[in-house]
Amino acid sequence: LASGVFDSIYVSCYKGLGGLSGAFLLGDQSFCEEARVWLRRLGGNLYTLLPYVVSARMGYDREWKLEAKRGTPPLLSFLDKKEKLAYLVHRLSSHKSISQWLAFDPPVPESSM
């Protein structure tokens, strides 16, 4: 996964994609099999997932496919948002007056959230 940087990845459908709830859990087969057991133990696995799948798909289409409606400015990808955030953090951190009372940790944003 992710070129060997991570052994598993969790993607929130309601935080990252604006869906109703739910998440994607990605990893190797044994990891996912064990996670499935714990999902059952903790009371997961809804009877019907259709509303959640539909809302996650709509969020995916909106956030990742970046299909702007006619007459609206183009949407930013997560990478674009991260770069914009990094630019703003840099500008604010390097401003003499602002940097006296505002600090960022980490000094360079690691994600767009």
Side-chain angles (χ1 to χ4, degrees), residues 40-69:
R40 291 264 188 195
R41 287 179 184 163
L42 297 172
N45 201 11
L46 298 172
Y47 174 71
T48 178
L49 298 174
L50 182 61
Y52 302 98
V53 171
V54 169
S55 68
R57 178 57 193 250
M58 290 171 59
Y60 171 80
D61 288 344
R62 181 182 59 250
E63 299 293 339
W64 286 96
K65 287 191 172 182
L66 307 175
E67 295 174 357
K69 294 179 182 174

mmCIF file of all heavy atoms in Angstrom, residues 40-69:
data_model
loop_
_atom_site.group_PDB
_atom_site.id
_atom_site.type_symbol
_atom_site.label_atom_id
_atom_site.label_comp_id
_atom_site.label_asym_id
_atom_site.label_seq_id
_atom_site.Cartn_x
_atom_site.Cartn_y
_atom_site.Cartn_z
ATOM 1 N N ARG A 40 -17.406 -7.555 13.632
ATOM 2 C CA ARG A 40 -18.539 -8.340 14.147
ATOM 3 C C ARG A 40 -18.589 -8.297 15.671
ATOM 4 O O ARG A 40 -19.650 -8.125 16.253
ATOM 5 C CB ARG A 40 -18.432 -9.789 13.686
ATOM 6 C CG ARG A 40 -18.657 -9.969 12.232
ATOM 7 C CD ARG A 40 -20.062 -10.355 11.999
ATOM 8 N NE ARG A 40 -20.211 -10.704 10.600
ATOM 9 C CZ ARG A 40 -21.375 -10.803 10.039
ATOM 10 N NH1 ARG A 40 -22.445 -10.609 10.738
ATOM 11 N NH2 ARG A 40 -21.466 -11.108 8.775
ATOM 12 N N ARG A 41 -17.454 -8.478 16.319
ATOM 13 C CA ARG A 41 -17.403 -8.482 17.785
ATOM 14 C C ARG A 41 -17.894 -7.165 18.381
ATOM 15 O O ARG A 41 -18.495 -7.137 19.453
ATOM 16 C CB ARG A 41 -15.983 -8.732 18.276
ATOM 17 C CG ARG A 41 -15.519 -10.140 18.103
ATOM 18 C CD ARG A 41 -14.092 -10.291 18.589
ATOM 19 N NE ARG A 41 -13.606 -11.646 18.339
ATOM 20 C CZ ARG A 41 -12.337 -11.995 18.341
ATOM 21 N NH1 ARG A 41 -11.400 -11.088 18.599
ATOM 22 N NH2 ARG A 41 -11.984 -13.233 18.116
ATOM 23 N N LEU A 42 -17.619 -6.082 17.689
ATOM 24 C CA LEU A 42 -17.991 -4.760 18.185
ATOM 25 C C LEU A 42 -19.364 -4.302 17.693
ATOM 26 O O LEU A 42 -19.742 -3.151 17.880
ATOM 27 C CB LEU A 42 -16.919 -3.739 17.794
ATOM 28 C CG LEU A 42 -15.543 -4.003 18.410
ATOM 29 C CD1 LEU A 42 -14.503 -3.076 17.811
ATOM 30 C CD2 LEU A 42 -15.603 -3.849 19.924
ATOM 31 N N GLY A 43 -20.114 -5.199 17.050
ATOM 32 C CA GLY A 43 -21.485 -4.895 16.654
ATOM 33 C C GLY A 43 -21.628 -4.181 15.327
ATOM 34 O O GLY A 43 -22.666 -3.587 15.052
ATOM 35 N N GLY A 44 -20.621 -4.248 14.492
ATOM 36 C CA GLY A 44 -20.699 -3.599 13.181
ATOM 37 C C GLY A 44 -21.466 -4.435 12.176
ATOM 38 O O GLY A 44 -22.091 -5.428 12.527
ATOM 39 N N ASN A 45 -21.446 -4.041 10.933
ATOM 40 C CA ASN A 45 -22.085 -4.750 9.835
ATOM 41 C C ASN A 45 -23.590 -4.487 9.791
ATOM 42 O O ASN A 45 -24.390 -5.274 10.265
ATOM 43 C CB ASN A 45 -21.793 -6.247 9.886
ATOM 44 C CG ASN A 45 -21.996 -6.893 8.535
ATOM 45 O OD1 ASN A 45 -22.153 -6.215 7.540
ATOM 46 N ND2 ASN A 45 -21.998 -8.210 8.517
ATOM 47 N N LEU A 46 -23.962 -3.369 9.243
ATOM 48 C CA LEU A 46 -25.365 -2.979 9.128
ATOM 49 C C LEU A 46 -26.118 -3.883 8.170
ATOM 50 O O LEU A 46 -25.547 -4.487 7.265
ATOM 51 C CB LEU A 46 -25.460 -1.535 8.632
ATOM 52 C CG LEU A 46 -24.852 -0.479 9.536
ATOM 53 C CD1 LEU A 46 -24.836 0.865 8.839
ATOM 54 C CD2 LEU A 46 -25.617 -0.398 10.836
ATOM 55 N N TYR A 47 -27.436 -3.945 8.342
ATOM 56 C CA TYR A 47 -28.269 -4.786 7.500
ATOM 57 C C TYR A 47 -28.218 -4.330 6.047
ATOM 58 O O TYR A 47 -28.033 -5.115 5.147
ATOM 59 C CB TYR A 47 -29.714 -4.764 8.022
ATOM 60 C CG TYR A 47 -30.674 -5.496 7.129
ATOM 61 C CD1 TYR A 47 -30.639 -6.875 7.034
ATOM 62 C CD2 TYR A 47 -31.592 -4.803 6.360
ATOM 63 C CE1 TYR A 47 -31.509 -7.560 6.206
ATOM 64 C CE2 TYR A 47 -32.466 -5.477 5.531
ATOM 65 C CZ TYR A 47 -32.418 -6.850 5.458
ATOM 66 O OH TYR A 47 -33.284 -7.515 4.639
ATOM 67 N N THR A 48 -28.385 -3.049 5.818
ATOM 68 C CA THR A 48 -28.273 -2.526 4.457
ATOM 69 C C THR A 48 -27.299 -1.351 4.440
ATOM 70 O O THR A 48 -27.395 -0.446 5.253
ATOM 71 C CB THR A 48 -29.629 -2.095 3.869
ATOM 72 O OG1 THR A 48 -29.394 -1.549 2.564
ATOM 73 C CG2 THR A 48 -30.323 -1.067 4.711
ATOM 74 N N LEU A 49 -26.384 -1.394 3.538
ATOM 75 C CA LEU A 49 -25.368 -0.359 3.433
ATOM 76 C C LEU A 49 -25.639 0.616 2.288
ATOM 77 O O LEU A 49 -24.863 1.536 2.079
ATOM 78 C CB LEU A 49 -23.994 -1.008 3.234
ATOM 79 C CG LEU A 49 -23.519 -1.902 4.370
ATOM 80 C CD1 LEU A 49 -22.207 -2.592 3.989
ATOM 81 C CD2 LEU A 49 -23.324 -1.106 5.634
ATOM 82 N N LEU A 50 -26.728 0.396 1.546
ATOM 83 C CA LEU A 50 -26.975 1.192 0.345
ATOM 84 C C LEU A 50 -26.921 2.705 0.578
ATOM 85 O O LEU A 50 -26.220 3.406 -0.152
ATOM 86 C CB LEU A 50 -28.301 0.801 -0.306
ATOM 87 C CG LEU A 50 -28.618 1.543 -1.606
ATOM 88 C CD1 LEU A 50 -27.560 1.255 -2.664
ATOM 89 C CD2 LEU A 50 -29.989 1.179 -2.102
ATOM 90 N N PRO A 51 -27.620 3.271 1.583
ATOM 91 C CA PRO A 51 -27.537 4.731 1.756
ATOM 92 C C PRO A 51 -26.114 5.211 2.020
ATOM 93 O O PRO A 51 -25.718 6.283 1.567
ATOM 94 C CB PRO A 51 -28.438 5.014 2.969
ATOM 95 C CG PRO A 51 -29.303 3.814 3.111
ATOM 96 C CD PRO A 51 -28.534 2.663 2.547
ATOM 97 N N TYR A 52 -25.347 4.412 2.744
ATOM 98 C CA TYR A 52 -23.979 4.796 3.069
ATOM 99 C C TYR A 52 -23.072 4.713 1.840
ATOM 100 O O TYR A 52 -22.213 5.560 1.631
ATOM 101 C CB TYR A 52 -23.445 3.917 4.201
ATOM 102 C CG TYR A 52 -24.310 4.020 5.426
ATOM 103 C CD1 TYR A 52 -25.277 3.062 5.704
ATOM 104 C CD2 TYR A 52 -24.182 5.100 6.287
ATOM 105 C CE1 TYR A 52 -26.083 3.174 6.818
ATOM 106 C CE2 TYR A 52 -24.985 5.217 7.400
ATOM 107 C CZ TYR A 52 -25.939 4.253 7.664
ATOM 108 O OH TYR A 52 -26.739 4.372 8.759
ATOM 109 N N VAL A 53 -23.277 3.688 1.046
ATOM 110 C CA VAL A 53 -22.491 3.536 -0.182
ATOM 111 C C VAL A 53 -22.800 4.677 -1.147
ATOM 112 O O VAL A 53 -21.895 5.270 -1.740
ATOM 113 C CB VAL A 53 -22.762 2.163 -0.838
ATOM 114 C CG1 VAL A 53 -22.125 2.088 -2.216
ATOM 115 C CG2 VAL A 53 -22.268 1.032 0.053
ATOM 116 N N VAL A 54 -24.080 5.010 -1.286
ATOM 117 C CA VAL A 54 -24.475 6.085 -2.197
ATOM 118 C C VAL A 54 -23.877 7.420 -1.745
ATOM 119 O O VAL A 54 -23.313 8.160 -2.552
ATOM 120 C CB VAL A 54 -26.014 6.185 -2.299
ATOM 121 C CG1 VAL A 54 -26.440 7.452 -3.024
ATOM 122 C CG2 VAL A 54 -26.574 4.957 -3.007
ATOM 123 N N SER A 55 -23.957 7.735 -0.441
ATOM 124 C CA SER A 55 -23.430 9.016 0.024
ATOM 125 C C SER A 55 -21.906 9.064 -0.092
ATOM 126 O O SER A 55 -21.341 10.099 -0.436
ATOM 127 C CB SER A 55 -23.871 9.313 1.458
ATOM 128 O OG SER A 55 -23.269 8.432 2.376
ATOM 129 N N ALA A 56 -21.226 7.942 0.164
ATOM 130 C CA ALA A 56 -19.770 7.907 0.005
ATOM 131 C C ALA A 56 -19.395 8.075 -1.460
ATOM 132 O O ALA A 56 -18.433 8.780 -1.789
ATOM 133 C CB ALA A 56 -19.202 6.603 0.557
ATOM 134 N N ARG A 57 -20.156 7.455 -2.356
ATOM 135 C CA ARG A 57 -19.868 7.584 -3.792
ATOM 136 C C ARG A 57 -20.061 9.027 -4.259
ATOM 137 O O ARG A 57 -19.271 9.550 -5.050
ATOM 138 C CB ARG A 57 -20.759 6.626 -4.595
ATOM 139 C CG ARG A 57 -20.573 6.723 -6.101
ATOM 140 C CD ARG A 57 -19.109 6.478 -6.470
ATOM 141 N NE ARG A 57 -18.823 6.840 -7.808
ATOM 142 C CZ ARG A 57 -18.556 5.974 -8.772
ATOM 143 N NH1 ARG A 57 -18.552 4.690 -8.530
ATOM 144 N NH2 ARG A 57 -18.290 6.395 -9.981
ATOM 145 N N MET A 58 -21.116 9.662 -3.762
ATOM 146 C CA MET A 58 -21.342 11.055 -4.124
ATOM 147 C C MET A 58 -20.190 11.930 -3.632
ATOM 148 O O MET A 58 -19.725 12.821 -4.345
ATOM 149 C CB MET A 58 -22.669 11.548 -3.548
ATOM 150 C CG MET A 58 -23.884 10.939 -4.221
ATOM 151 S SD MET A 58 -25.439 11.307 -3.372
ATOM 152 C CE MET A 58 -25.453 13.073 -3.430
ATOM 153 N N GLY A 59 -19.705 11.656 -2.414
ATOM 154 C CA GLY A 59 -18.564 12.402 -1.884
ATOM 155 C C GLY A 59 -17.312 12.152 -2.693
ATOM 156 O O GLY A 59 -16.531 13.065 -2.963
ATOM 157 N N TYR A 60 -17.116 10.888 -3.093
ATOM 158 C CA TYR A 60 -15.957 10.555 -3.938
ATOM 159 C C TYR A 60 -16.023 11.332 -5.251
ATOM 160 O O TYR A 60 -15.036 11.938 -5.666
ATOM 161 C CB TYR A 60 -15.913 9.059 -4.212
ATOM 162 C CG TYR A 60 -14.880 8.682 -5.242
ATOM 163 C CD1 TYR A 60 -13.547 8.570 -4.896
ATOM 164 C CD2 TYR A 60 -15.242 8.469 -6.564
ATOM 165 C CE1 TYR A 60 -12.589 8.250 -5.841
ATOM 166 C CE2 TYR A 60 -14.298 8.139 -7.519
ATOM 167 C CZ TYR A 60 -12.975 8.035 -7.152
ATOM 168 O OH TYR A 60 -12.040 7.728 -8.093
ATOM 169 N N ASP A 61 -17.185 11.302 -5.882
ATOM 170 C CA ASP A 61 -17.332 12.019 -7.150
ATOM 171 C C ASP A 61 -17.072 13.512 -6.971
ATOM 172 O O ASP A 61 -16.432 14.144 -7.792
ATOM 173 C CB ASP A 61 -18.740 11.813 -7.723
ATOM 174 C CG ASP A 61 -18.952 10.406 -8.251
ATOM 175 O OD1 ASP A 61 -17.954 9.680 -8.453
ATOM 176 O OD2 ASP A 61 -20.120 10.019 -8.435
ATOM 177 N N ARG A 62 -17.551 14.064 -5.853
ATOM 178 C CA ARG A 62 -17.391 15.495 -5.601
ATOM 179 C C ARG A 62 -15.941 15.851 -5.246
ATOM 180 O O ARG A 62 -15.396 16.819 -5.763
ATOM 181 C CB ARG A 62 -18.331 15.914 -4.468
ATOM 182 C CG ARG A 62 -18.278 17.388 -4.132
ATOM 183 C CD ARG A 62 -19.202 17.760 -2.965
ATOM 184 N NE ARG A 62 -18.875 17.036 -1.749
ATOM 185 C CZ ARG A 62 -19.641 16.075 -1.215
ATOM 186 N NH1 ARG A 62 -20.783 15.736 -1.780
ATOM 187 N NH2 ARG A 62 -19.275 15.467 -0.107
ATOM 188 N N GLU A 63 -15.291 15.061 -4.385
ATOM 189 C CA GLU A 63 -13.976 15.429 -3.870
ATOM 190 C C GLU A 63 -12.805 14.938 -4.719
ATOM 191 O O GLU A 63 -11.776 15.580 -4.768
ATOM 192 C CB GLU A 63 -13.795 14.901 -2.442
ATOM 193 C CG GLU A 63 -14.790 15.462 -1.451
ATOM 194 C CD GLU A 63 -14.606 16.946 -1.189
ATOM 195 O OE1 GLU A 63 -13.508 17.479 -1.444
ATOM 196 O OE2 GLU A 63 -15.562 17.574 -0.716
ATOM 197 N N TRP A 64 -12.952 13.790 -5.349
ATOM 198 C CA TRP A 64 -11.817 13.209 -6.070
ATOM 199 C C TRP A 64 -11.908 13.395 -7.568
ATOM 200 O O TRP A 64 -10.904 13.610 -8.228
ATOM 201 C CB TRP A 64 -11.678 11.729 -5.738
ATOM 202 C CG TRP A 64 -11.130 11.533 -4.376
ATOM 203 C CD1 TRP A 64 -11.845 11.312 -3.240
ATOM 204 C CD2 TRP A 64 -9.766 11.581 -3.974
ATOM 205 N NE1 TRP A 64 -11.006 11.208 -2.171
ATOM 206 C CE2 TRP A 64 -9.725 11.363 -2.581
ATOM 207 C CE3 TRP A 64 -8.575 11.776 -4.660
ATOM 208 C CZ2 TRP A 64 -8.540 11.340 -1.874
ATOM 209 C CZ3 TRP A 64 -7.393 11.748 -3.946
ATOM 210 C CH2 TRP A 64 -7.387 11.532 -2.565
ATOM 211 N N LYS A 65 -13.103 13.277 -8.132
ATOM 212 C CA LYS A 65 -13.220 13.459 -9.579
ATOM 213 C C LYS A 65 -13.172 14.924 -9.971
ATOM 214 O O LYS A 65 -12.877 15.250 -11.105
ATOM 215 C CB LYS A 65 -14.518 12.821 -10.083
ATOM 216 C CG LYS A 65 -14.466 11.315 -10.096
ATOM 217 C CD LYS A 65 -15.642 10.762 -10.838
ATOM 218 C CE LYS A 65 -15.506 9.271 -11.024
ATOM 219 N NZ LYS A 65 -16.628 8.737 -11.794
ATOM 220 N N LEU A 66 -13.486 15.785 -9.023
ATOM 221 C CA LEU A 66 -13.348 17.231 -9.209
ATOM 222 C C LEU A 66 -14.149 17.767 -10.394
ATOM 223 O O LEU A 66 -13.679 18.562 -11.178
ATOM 224 C CB LEU A 66 -11.870 17.608 -9.361
ATOM 225 C CG LEU A 66 -10.952 17.091 -8.256
ATOM 226 C CD1 LEU A 66 -9.513 17.410 -8.580
ATOM 227 C CD2 LEU A 66 -11.355 17.662 -6.925
ATOM 228 N N GLU A 67 -15.372 17.290 -10.483
ATOM 229 C CA GLU A 67 -16.239 17.750 -11.565
ATOM 230 C C GLU A 67 -17.015 18.977 -11.096
ATOM 231 O O GLU A 67 -18.027 18.873 -10.417
ATOM 232 C CB GLU A 67 -17.208 16.641 -11.982
ATOM 233 C CG GLU A 67 -16.496 15.441 -12.585
ATOM 234 C CD GLU A 67 -17.424 14.279 -12.873
ATOM 235 O OE1 GLU A 67 -18.615 14.358 -12.563
ATOM 236 O OE2 GLU A 67 -16.932 13.290 -13.426
ATOM 237 N N ALA A 68 -16.530 20.132 -11.449
ATOM 238 C CA ALA A 68 -17.204 21.372 -11.075
ATOM 239 C C ALA A 68 -18.457 21.554 -11.918
ATOM 240 O O ALA A 68 -18.504 21.156 -13.079
ATOM 241 C CB ALA A 68 -16.266 22.560 -11.264
ATOM 242 N N LYS A 69 -19.480 22.153 -11.313
ATOM 243 C CA LYS A 69 -20.695 22.455 -12.057
ATOM 244 C C LYS A 69 -20.424 23.624 -12.987
ATOM 245 O O LYS A 69 -19.563 24.455 -12.737
ATOM 246 C CB LYS A 69 -21.826 22.791 -11.091
ATOM 247 C CG LYS A 69 -22.237 21.612 -10.244
ATOM 248 C CD LYS A 69 -23.338 21.996 -9.291
ATOM 249 C CE LYS A 69 -23.691 20.805 -8.427
ATOM 250 N NZ LYS A 69 -24.650 21.129 -7.398
#
